[in-house]
Structure formats: C-alpha cells, structure tokens
Amino acid sequence: MIILDTCVIRSMNLDGSEAHLLRAIRDTKAERVGVPWMVMEERAAQLAIKYRQTHAKAAQAVEQLRAISSDAVPELPQPDEEAVREKFRKRLRGLAEVIKPSQSVLEEGLFRESNELPPAGQKKSEKVGARDAVIWLSAVEYAKENPGEKVYFVSSNTSDFTAGDGPYPFPMDQDLEGIWDRFVHLPQLADLLKVVAPSVEVASERVLKLLPSFIKHFLRAATAGWGSPVQAMFHPFPALSQAAGTAKEAYGWYGPEQATRLKALKVTDVQGYRLGDQEWCTASVQWQVTGWTRFTDVMDMGCSIWDTRILLPLVEDGPSPRILWSEKPKAPADPASIDWSGSGLLRDHAHLPETQRLLDSLRSGSQLERTLAMISYSLQSILAGGNPVTELDVRDALAARRMVGFDDMDPDEREAAVDAARDEALKGYEDWPGPEEHEG
C-alpha cells in the first residue's frame, strides 16, 4: 500500500502525469494507493478556506463595481464551501482509497499535541501537530493491521516526520516496532516511483503496432460512452458529415461495434514502466472515429477525432488496457485526411420491413417523421437483438427500391408510405396504460 501525505497531494495535479501513473499502478494491482482520512479533510479544508477568501474579495469587488457602474451589476452567488470540499473529496477518491483512523488513533493524535510528542510539537509557542500525528499513526495502524503488505509512506514534511533515513524520535521509533522491515518512508514521490514503477524504454512505433490487438476495448469505450445514442441525445458531439463536407452536431454512432471504425492516427508522449511483473506504458493516442451517425437533419457517415491518454500492456492480447483520461471529441480539421473505408456492413438487415420503413422516412419524411422512425427502429432492434443500419446498407436498400419502382412513386404515394411508417411507429400507443408511458 502506498500512503500519501497532505503535502504530496497538495503539490500534485490530480489530472497530471504523476497522478496518471499512480492510477496505472493502482489499476494494474501492482500496489494499492491510499490517503489517510485526515489528509483528505486537511486538503479539502485548505481549498475551502481559499475559496472563502477569494469569494470575499470577489464580493468586495462587486460592491465597488456597483458603486461606480451605470449598469446593473449581477449578484454574486452565495458561497458554498461544502460543495468545494465535496468536489475535492470526489476527485481524490478517484485516485486513492481513504484510510479511516480508529478512535484510538484520533485520541493519540490529540494526546501527542497536548504533550508536544512527535510528530506533534510546538511552533511559535503554540502546541501544534495533532493532524500530523493522526496522519502518521493512520499509516502505522494500517501497516500493523495488514501484516502481509509492505507500506510506502510518502511525505516531504521532513521537519515533522523526518526524511526516513535516520533514527526516529521517541515515540515515533516505538510506533514502528515490529514493522521496520516493511514500513518504507520516502520523502518524495519521485523516490517512490523509482521503486514501484521503474522506467523502461518504449518506442511510439511499438505502441502503434500493438493498438490493433486492443481496438475492441477502445471502440467499446467510444460507442458505449460519449458516442452512444442515449448519451449523445443529451450531449451531442461534433462530427464531419461525409455528404455535406462540413462539421455538424452528431447524435451517436449507430449499429454494432463493427459498424463503427476506430483508427489510431498518432501516438505521442510514450512512457514505459515495469508494474509488478509486467511492462506497461502510458501514451497519448489520437483516434479517428468513423461510422454511421444521426445528424440533426439526416443520417450519414460521420467522422470525429478523439484524443485519449491510455495505459497499455506491452504484449499482444494481454490484460485489458485502460483509458486514463479522454478529451471531448472534435470534428477533423482536414476532410481530405479522413479514411472512410472499412466500416462494418449490415446488408443482411436491409431487406427487413422495419429497415425499409426507416429508409422511407429518412428519404422523404419530415424531421418529426424521421425521428419517430429512428425511435421505432431502435426499439425494435433492441427488443429483437438486431442492429440499426449502416450507410452502405442504406445505399444498397435504396438501390433495390429503385429496381421495384420506389423512385417512380408520385408525391401522394410517397406520403402514404411515410404515413404507414408513422402509424407503425405509434402502433399500440392508445393502449398504453398511462401518461408516463405516453410521454416515454
């Protein structure tokens, strides 16, 4: 177990490279990562106090502006310090598990401050250090309660905890009795990483060759996450429309995983590590995502660019990779650079009646009719275990329709076909039991 002190957390960017590596260490189960409860609350308090002071200055500035402005000055929102604390707690829990102190640890921490016993003491004639004592004793208690684990305690607070390279003052020396051989005290995070995550050289070309064997994992993250039709319904993403040649808001990737294609464009900032008995690397990967998507006014092939930071095992078909973080997708800047080939096909489904109704509405229906058709088709696909269509399915099916005279329909015939599709989509609506089902 790696146990981090407040000073380490305070100096760390929780979205930075050190935090990513700690998550990699945790995710690969090379070591666990933890913080004493007192560390979490001490850092949360520091941020809340800073927020309180900043808000007070902002309120004063607003009053000064209001005194001289000829325009109305909006009110400053009421301060919410607990929201600041809770936001930090949530972020920290995404990095480390929280080690709660026992009642005896809390009592001993106060006792040591009262009696000026290390790691507590006196500063400027004031007794201080109860929090430091609780942090230290939390790490010691964890080590004693988990005899099968080595504990790495990391703190740059050498004035209170020492640097860990010499004798400890009383009673800290007695605290470590029985755990000397597995309680490792390190003053810097860099010292820890040399021990638990020694670096190895990895070329970006090697990572690029390995990525295809893990492509399903990253594709699933895209199509089931930000690119899912349900998620995109509320948070559409930018994509370039193949037909229009311009960027539009897209509302999800449709079809099974093979209907959407993921291609690694470039790999940068590769860092290799030995974690446990395996070699891993972290790398920044930019992906090109192409597939059949729904834009506001039409179904079409679309393309988005997706930037990620990943943790990858350096062996084909090895343990599952991880996405450490990802940016919001964006539309490609250069349409000519897009590789539109290789999308999955669903030609076998193009002959189905529900697919034909969808094609009718997409081809000639109003926006409402297209939306109803997509909802109806998606629901039927889910219930039947089927899949929505891809762009080439649409082309194939429309070509087939031309053979049987679909394009020769007059406007009235087309309208009748669309009405039939709409009626089918709303079939049974009147029999649903209540207003909530109607709204759904």
Side-chain angles (χ1 to χ4, degrees):
M1 169 69 87
I2 297 166
I3 299 180
L4 307 174
D5 186 22
T6 310
C7 51
V8 177
I9 297 298
R10 184 173 59 245
S11 63
M12 182 190 300
N13 177 357
L14 294 182
D15 294 318
S17 58
E18 290 180 332
H20 288 322
L21 182 52
L22 285 172
R23 291 187 184 95
I25 293 169
R26 175 203 64 192
D27 291 347
T28 57
K29 296 181 171 57
E31 302 287 347
R32 292 161 67 196
V33 180
V35 293
W37 169 86
M38 191 70 256
V39 167
M40 179 176 71
E41 291 305 316
E42 184 175 22
R43 182 57 181 153
Q46 291 170 353
L47 293 171
I49 291 170
K50 183 178 180 180
Y51 168 80
R52 181 193 309 157
Q53 295 169 343
T54 304
H55 191 280
K57 292 178 181 177
Q60 184 180 17
V62 167
E63 289 303 317
Q64 292 173 347
L65 180 61
R66 188 174 285 123
I68 60 175
S69 176
S70 59
D71 299 322
V73 177
E75 292 289 336
L76 195 66
Q78 290 297 311
D80 189 349
E81 294 180 21
E82 183 56 29
V84 174
R85 286 187 286 265
E86 189 54 37
K87 179 181 178 181
F88 171 75
R89 292 177 189 131
K90 183 177 180 179
R91 293 188 68 206
L92 186 60
R93 289 190 184 104
L95 171 69
E97 54 190 278
V98 178
I99 302 170
K100 293 186 177 180
S102 65
Q103 182 68 25
S104 61
V105 163
L106 295 172
E107 291 174 356
E108 179 67 14
L110 292 172
F111 176 82
R112 292 197 184 186
E113 180 181 289
S114 299
N115 291 273
E116 299 181 9
L117 293 172
Q122 186 184 103
K123 292 181 180 178
K124 297 181 180 179
S125 301
E126 293 288 336
K127 293 179 180 181
V128 295
R131 286 169 294 167
D132 289 331
V134 169
I135 291 168
W136 167 262
L137 292 168
S138 295
V140 169
E141 182 177 64
Y142 180 88
K144 290 183 176 180
E145 291 181 350
N146 296 272
E149 295 186 38
K150 178 177 283 190
V151 171
Y152 297 93
F153 178 66
V154 187
S155 175
S156 58
N157 181 4
T158 56
S159 61
D160 294 316
F161 296 130
T162 80
D165 56 356
Y168 289 92
F170 174 84
M172 292 175 68
D173 56 348
Q174 292 189 351
D175 294 333
L176 298 179
E177 285 185 1
I179 59 171
W180 283 98
D181 58 336
R182 54 187 185 82
F183 190 93
V184 182
H185 180 178
L186 299 167
Q188 299 293 336
L189 188 58
D191 300 325
L192 168 78
L193 298 179
K194 290 177 184 177
V195 176
V196 300
S199 61
V200 296
E201 284 195 20
V202 182
S204 58
E205 292 78 11
R206 181 182 176 187
V207 176
L208 202 56
K209 289 180 180 179
L210 282 171
L211 285 175
S213 67
F214 297 100
I215 205 73
K216 287 185 178 179
H217 175 88
F218 298 110
L219 182 57
R220 191 173 300 115
T223 56
W226 57 267
S228 74
V230 174
Q231 176 84 357
M233 183 184 301
F234 303 100
H235 303 286
F237 55 88
L240 188 134
S241 165
Q242 183 184 29
T246 57
K248 301 181 179 182
E249 283 193 335
Y251 292 85
W253 304 111
Y254 283 82
E257 289 181 2
Q258 63 266 30
T260 305
R261 184 167 182 252
L262 195 64
K263 178 182 178 181
L265 296 181
K266 61 181 179 179
V267 175
T268 58
D269 192 17
V270 179
Q271 297 173 321
Y273 306 95
R274 177 169 291 280
L275 304 177
D277 59 354
Q278 291 185 329
E279 289 187 350
W280 294 72
C281 76
T282 56
S284 297
V285 182
Q286 185 176 83
W287 306 92
Q288 176 183 273
V289 191
T290 53
W292 180 237
T293 187
R294 180 174 71 86
F295 295 102
T296 303
D297 55 347
V298 72
M299 296 289 292
D300 186 26
M301 284 290 285
C303 176
S304 293
I305 301 298
W306 185 36
D307 289 299
T308 61
R309 182 72 178 170
I310 68 169
L311 172 66
L312 189 76
L314 293 174
V315 58
E316 286 189 8
D317 301 319
S320 296
R322 277 86 165 166
I323 297 176
L324 300 175
W325 59 262
S326 64
E327 294 185 1
K328 293 181 179 179
K330 58 189 177 184
D334 181 14
S337 66
I338 301 173
D339 179 6
W340 294 105
S341 64
S343 296
L345 306 178
L346 288 175
R347 290 192 179 95
D348 292 342
H349 295 267
H351 66 283
L352 297 175
E354 56 266 29
T355 303
Q356 294 173 1
R357 287 192 291 270
L358 172 65
L359 296 171
D360 289 343
S361 294
L362 294 178
R363 183 177 177 86
S364 58
S366 67
Q367 183 172 347
L368 174 61
E369 290 163 344
R370 290 196 300 269
T371 301
L372 287 171
M374 283 304 307
I375 292 172
S376 173
Y377 182 78
S378 297
L379 287 173
Q380 291 178 58
S381 297
I382 292 170
L383 294 174
N387 297 288
V389 295
T390 65
E391 181 239 7
L392 286 180
D393 292 325
V394 174
R395 293 178 180 174
D396 290 349
L398 290 179
R401 288 297 179 84
R402 282 193 290 271
M403 294 176 64
V404 297
F406 180 79
D407 280 351
D408 297 329
M409 287 183 179
D410 61 36
D412 291 338
E413 290 175 314
R414 285 183 180 276
E415 185 175 355
V418 170
D419 287 342
R422 182 179 63 248
D423 292 343
E424 183 65 25
L426 295 176
K427 189 175 181 179
Y429 176 86
E430 295 82 358
D431 299 328
W432 291 352
E436 291 184 358
E437 287 79 1
H438 285 200
E439 184 178 355

